[in-house]
Amino acid sequence: MRVHAVAHPPVGVPRTGVTGTRAIRFIVDRFLLLPIGAAVALMWANTAAVSYFTFAHALSFFVNQVAMAFFLALIAQEVLEAVMPGGALHNWRRWSMPLVAAAGGIAGAAAVYLAFVQLKYELVLMQAWPVACAIDIAAGYYVLKMILPRSGALPFLLVLAIATDAFGLIVVGLRPAAVGLHAGGVALFLGAVGLAALLRHWRVRAFWPYLVLCGVLSWWGLYVAGIHPALALMPIVPFLPHEPRKLDLFSDPPDDDAVHHYEHEWNGLVQVVLFLFGLVNAGVLLSGYDTGTWAVLAAALVGRPLGILAAIALALALGLHLPRRIGWRQLTVIALATSSGFTFALFFATSVVPMGPVLAQIKIGALSTVAGALLAVGTAWLLGVGSARTHRNP
Amino acid sequence: MRTLLAILVAAVVTGSLEASRQAEGPAGAPPSLRFAVIGDNGTGERPQYEVGEQMASARGRFPFEFVIMLGDNMYGRQRPADFVDKFEQPYAPLLKAGVLFYAALGNHDDPTNRFYAGFNMGGERYYTFVRKHVRFFVFDTNMMDPAQLRWIGQTLARARESWKICYFHHPLYSSGGRHGSDIELRVALEPLMLEHGVHVAFSGHEHVYERTHPQKGITYFVEGSSGKLRRGDITRTDLTAASFDEDRTFMLVGITGDELSFQTISRAGRVVDSGVIHRRPPT
């Protein structure tokens, strides 16, 4: 699989438009609007806290429960197309090892988080363990692309990260189901999925009917049922027409069917959503750090990398194979490149922990995991891996 | 000189509380209510026991009926034996005398402690109870979910008692150096408390004692040093009406009619703050 750089303007930015400056392209291409939103939120919260929290509380439902559905739909689409026949991950041999690594990473992160919380006797933090498992796909992708731009490491990391976050989404989304689902909501949701199947059967290629009819119905159904409604579009996406694609989440696919049209229409919107997501959720008073902060950091920077490496060692012993030109030094860097939880960690945090000091300390931990990117770059330099090797030994 | 001043203050406030007790006689006047306040107490260490002894001693002259606990009622392990070491033993004389404890949950409390009979939480994270003409509202500020916020608004709105007192673990206003004010919680809770006429709020979390100047009409107490102590952690700010960060403390509170009298007493039995808060007329 070849992972290529973005060769043309990102979707949502006109090819020759006034807004197509290099700076904006750079920001949009790399999903930097979210960290920019987060940085603004952090500064705002720590300088004018009352106005920030008033603003954030007013917008949080819309952003977290409604708008994030578009972001998750895009992620669902990418994954679906990659696993379709002809897609990069259709052959199970391509994703078996990253999946094993993901399972190890989840187990390692969760074990370290729960052990830390138990050791400090703050059991109120236990329920936030899914936050420790989150991987920021974009952050991992760009860190690794910088270090190992042309190797099997990138798809390996992407599958690992997607599988991990998919697991987290299932846990987070279905958590309320543990206390009982509202039957009416479930019926609405199933009706939405059935309607999407019918639209597909009737060969409807425009995405609007899927969005307006099925998406709205699905959102309302999940909301009533007690399941996280931001997941609403994910079950609808498989019914949109698709074509197999390479697993390069951050490239611009050709505009040749309804799905890609939908992606073009929504990518700009998703960028705005991610900016708002950072703005609404990342604002925390830095004095709010506490046990949960250290637990999330320890889980992401230590637990997950160790879990990934241990699981891979076990899988190798059982006969699975690594991609070509990937050895233990590269694996160590890949494992550390998954440390950043950021976007998904914030999403999981706001999904499983209600507003309050517990959420604040968990969020600070989630934001701090960006340190994992530095750790990956530093380790690559120390181990002489990839482009770091070139810089170290010109 | 300092000791003499403390003795004078103690005498005045004790006299005030005594006057409150005598004042419950007149026909038509609401009866006096007395309670104690502790927070961040459950260490199981010697200072907690000494505070417990002071509380038992204080009850001899100020017979409080119950104790409100502001969270972090238990630190460290929370096995059955720990409930003995960190709660039942330190307050044994009070428990034997039938004094009830009503707890709020702190960040160090196992959420399942709400089922422990000694904390009288009825298995709820947040709840309300009435004593005479005072209604208490107990919040779980660890996690302020929408359901709890709705409950707070509705329960405050329904309350018809003349005094409304809220208590919870994390302070909305604090000059403590470690945590300070929880402004996010304040943005969510303060409008409800103001709208529905709350008069006084107690919280812990900061391991010091502080009383604020009334904030939009509400006086906030931080009593987080009944077991833990962060010595020297208070930096007095515009918020601070009184503070103490030199030793462990607990509070005695008496409410008669429209007056709430309070004393804050150190582990050594010294009164470190006292005063009277007058109930605001309903708006």
Side-chain angles (χ1 to χ4, degrees):
Chain A
M1 185 194 320
R2 187 173 66 88
V3 179
H4 53 86
V6 176
H8 41 266
V11 286
V13 178
R15 206 172 284 263
T16 56
V18 181
T19 54
T21 63
R22 286 188 175 183
I24 291 175
R25 278 181 60 177
F26 184 86
I27 287 168
V28 172
D29 284 356
R30 286 161 181 77
F31 284 72
L32 292 179
L33 277 172
L34 189 139
I36 289 171
V40 171
L42 268 177
M43 282 188 283
W44 188 358
N46 286 278
T47 50
V50 172
S51 70
Y52 172 75
F53 287 118
T54 305
F55 165 85
H57 289 179
L59 271 190
S60 67
F61 180 83
F62 172 74
V63 172
N64 294 340
Q65 313 275 324
V66 182
M68 281 300 279
F70 293 95
F71 170 67
L72 295 177
L74 273 191
I75 296 290
Q77 180 214 339
E78 304 286 352
V79 175
L80 189 77
E81 292 181 4
V83 298
M84 287 171 68
L89 302 177
H90 180 60
N91 185 341
W92 71 272
R93 291 176 197 281
R94 303 295 294 270
W95 47 259
S96 54
M97 185 59 102
L99 271 190
V100 169
I106 290 166
V112 166
Y113 178 86
L114 292 172
F116 197 103
V117 167
Q118 283 275 2
L119 208 64
K120 299 289 283 183
Y121 300 110
E122 291 205 34
L123 302 186
V124 72
L125 295 166
M126 298 270 277
Q127 65 174 302
W129 69 267
V131 179
C133 300
I135 297 177
D136 190 302
I137 302 173
Y141 175 87
Y142 281 111
V143 166
L144 206 57
K145 190 165 183 170
M146 191 167 60
I147 302 168
L148 290 164
R150 295 188 201 292
S151 74
L154 271 174
F156 188 95
L157 175 132
L158 286 172
V159 178
L160 194 169
I162 288 167
T164 303
D165 289 335
F167 170 80
L169 283 171
I170 291 168
V171 171
V172 165
L174 295 182
R175 176 172 284 214
V179 292
L181 289 173
H182 189 283
V186 174
L188 268 177
F189 167 73
L190 292 176
V193 175
L195 184 57
L198 271 179
L199 291 176
R200 175 69 183 265
H201 180 70
W202 294 330
R203 298 181 187 283
V204 175
R205 290 184 66 80
F207 72 86
W208 287 107
Y210 293 91
L211 171 67
V212 174
L213 296 175
C214 310
V216 171
L217 204 60
S218 172
W219 188 93
W220 188 247
L222 292 185
Y223 180 74
V224 172
I227 297 173
H228 202 307
L231 304 176
L233 292 175
M234 297 183 91
I236 304 300
V237 164
F239 296 100
L240 290 162
H242 295 278
E243 68 171 11
R245 63 183 290 169
K246 291 177 175 167
L247 186 64
D248 187 355
L249 297 188
F250 308 102
S251 71
D252 186 19
D255 189 6
D256 52 6
D257 67 19
V259 179
H260 291 150
H261 182 58
Y262 132 93
E263 183 174 279
H264 281 228
E265 294 281 339
W266 284 7
N267 199 297
L269 172 67
V270 165
Q271 295 280 349
V272 175
V273 167
L274 288 176
F275 173 77
L276 287 174
F277 181 76
L279 189 62
V280 164
N281 293 297
V284 279
L285 294 171
L286 293 175
S287 59
Y289 72 89
D290 218 324
T291 303
T293 308
W294 307 120
V296 170
L297 260 179
L301 302 188
V302 180
R304 179 160 47 243
L306 286 181
I308 288 172
L309 295 176
I312 290 173
L314 185 65
L316 288 173
L318 293 174
L320 289 182
H321 298 286
L322 284 168
R324 280 186 302 164
R325 287 181 294 165
I326 300 281
W328 282 105
R329 287 182 308 135
Q330 287 78 10
L331 282 173
T332 305
V333 173
I334 293 171
L336 287 171
T338 66
S339 312
S340 178
F342 207 66
T343 316
F344 275 90
L346 280 178
F347 181 73
F348 292 169
T350 54
S351 302
V352 297
V353 186
M355 183 265 287
V358 170
L359 177 59
Q361 56 185 283
I362 294 288
K363 279 183 177 180
I364 297 173
L367 294 172
S368 306
T369 57
V370 293
L374 297 176
L375 202 58
V377 173
T379 305
W381 186 82
L382 279 175
L383 298 178
V385 170
S387 54
R389 182 181 53 193
T390 317
H391 295 146
R392 200 179 170 194
N393 306 306
Chain B
M1 182 64 192
R2 203 170 159 186
T3 309
L4 181 64
L5 190 63
I7 291 168
L8 276 172
V9 169
V12 168
V13 175
T14 306
S16 159
L17 290 171
E18 187 60 30
S20 298
R21 187 164 53 175
Q22 290 164 359
E24 61 185 276
S32 174
L33 179 74
R34 299 174 202 88
F35 61 96
V37 184
I38 55 176
D40 299 72
N41 51 289
T43 61
E45 294 166 0
R46 189 66 214 149
Q48 182 194 4
Y49 280 71
E50 288 168 355
V51 169
E53 287 161 16
Q54 279 295 341
M55 290 172 73
S57 163
R59 192 165 184 271
R61 56 182 188 278
F62 182 73
F64 54 86
E65 299 155 38
F66 60 96
V67 179
I68 65 172
M69 305 174 78
L70 307 177
D72 286 358
N73 314 306
M74 303 277 285
Y75 286 95
R77 290 183 193 277
Q78 299 180 30
R79 299 164 306 185
D82 296 303
F83 284 86
V84 176
D85 294 342
K86 298 169 185 174
F87 177 68
E88 293 168 14
Q89 282 296 334
Y91 310 115
L94 300 175
L95 290 165
K96 271 185 198 154
V99 174
L100 295 175
F101 287 69
Y102 294 93
L105 291 173
N107 52 301
H108 286 277
D109 294 308
D110 183 336
T112 61
N113 289 357
R114 65 186 187 274
F115 298 107
Y116 172 61
F119 290 165
N120 292 294
M121 301 177 73
E124 304 291 344
R125 288 170 46 222
Y126 43 92
Y127 60 102
T128 180
F129 62 96
V130 182
R131 288 293 174 276
K132 297 176 179 166
H133 56 305
V134 183
R135 180 171 284 276
F136 294 84
F137 303 87
V138 189
F139 306 155
D140 175 8
T141 45
N142 286 317
M143 287 175 286
M144 192 51 65
D145 50 291
Q148 183 178 187
L149 276 172
R150 269 195 307 277
W151 176 88
I152 291 170
Q154 290 166 356
T155 314
L156 280 170
R158 277 200 299 267
R160 291 291 170 264
E161 289 75 16
S162 51
W163 280 89
K164 296 179 184 179
I165 293 178
C166 297
Y167 66 96
F168 41 85
H169 187 60
H170 301 87
L172 306 192
Y173 290 92
S174 164
S175 306
R178 171 60 185 90
H179 302 289
S181 307
D182 194 314
I183 299 175
E184 186 168 18
L185 277 176
R186 189 200 299 170
V187 166
L189 289 175
E190 191 178 52
L192 295 172
M193 291 163 64
L194 290 173
E195 182 185 351
H196 299 296
V198 171
H199 307 94
V200 174
F202 296 92
S203 39
H205 200 43
E206 292 283 11
H207 298 159
V208 294
Y209 166 77
E210 183 179 17
R211 172 169 56 90
T212 70
H213 292 295
Q215 300 296 312
K216 300 173 188 170
I218 301 175
T219 299
Y220 293 87
F221 290 94
V222 176
E223 175 50 280
S225 58
S226 304
K228 288 274 188 182
L229 175 67
R230 195 166 282 121
R231 202 180 292 274
D233 196 48
I234 282 274
T235 305
R236 288 178 68 96
T237 64
D238 291 345
L239 292 174
T240 314
S243 65
F244 184 71
D245 58 6
E246 296 299 313
D247 198 359
R248 277 78 175 174
T249 56
F250 67 98
M251 293 181 69
L252 298 176
V253 182
I255 302 178
T256 303
D258 288 342
E259 286 188 354
L260 180 152
S261 310
F262 62 90
Q263 283 185 335
T264 304
I265 299 171
S266 77
R267 178 170 52 143
R270 181 179 144 214
V271 175
V272 297
D273 187 26
S274 62
V276 177
I277 294 168
H278 296 274
R279 188 171 74 89
R280 296 191 315 278
T283 51

